[in-house]
Amino acid sequence: MIRYGEEIGRGEDLRLKERYASRTPMQWSNLPGGGFSTAKKSALVRPVGDDDTFGYEVVNVDDERDDAGSLLAWFERMFGSLRECPELGAGQLTLLDSERDHVLALRYELAGKQMVAV
């Protein structure tokens, strides 16, 4: 499960109370309002993130679409892998004994097909 904004690394606005911290508008671009709205900041029901680390000027969809090393690009590659190998997303998972403490080995099985991830 991916929560809204996690695919670009959008942070939460911890100045907001409770669940509102994670319910801010998507940061589509580095334009004012994060490309979400052209309304004045005071008119928005929830503010667009604007801090120096996770704000819309630093973390947004437009910039990440142009960066092959971005978190968004990684998620897109991961989703492509899930489409190509449905065993990863829907298969029966078995933990394999790798004989090494620092190695995780998993087998996924679905409809007679298997995939091993190490």
Side-chain angles (χ1 to χ4, degrees):
M1 178 176 88
I2 299 171
R3 292 191 170 98
Y4 190 64
E6 286 182 336
E7 68 275 26
I8 62 168
R10 184 187 72 166
E12 296 181 353
D13 188 342
L14 300 178
R15 297 171 294 187
L16 301 175
K17 293 182 180 181
E18 301 169 358
R19 292 173 29 177
Y20 294 131
S22 61
R23 295 181 171 185
T24 57
M26 180 56 107
Q27 298 166 188
W28 293 106
S29 73
N30 61 7
L31 298 172
F36 177 79
S37 175
T38 57
K40 291 182 180 180
K41 187 174 181 178
S42 61
L44 296 173
V45 174
R46 304 269 189 290
V48 177
D50 63 358
D51 65 71
D52 293 338
T53 305
F54 299 107
Y56 69 90
E57 293 177 323
V58 180
V59 177
N60 63 72
V61 175
D62 276 352
D63 290 346
E64 292 202 16
R65 280 186 178 148
D66 294 335
D67 180 1
S70 72
L71 184 59
L72 179 61
W74 180 86
F75 269 103
E76 289 172 344
R77 287 190 304 273
M78 181 190 67
F79 291 141
S81 296
L82 289 174
R83 283 190 292 276
E84 292 172 12
C85 186
E87 297 84 8
L88 277 174
Q92 176 70 36
L93 172 67
T94 304
L95 177 63
L96 302 175
D97 183 7
S98 68
E99 299 181 6
R100 302 207 185 250
D101 291 340
H102 60 280
V103 175
L104 176 65
L106 305 168
R107 179 177 61 226
Y108 299 89
E109 295 181 63
L110 181 69
K113 293 183 179 181
Q114 295 185 41
M115 189 271 194
V116 175
V118 180

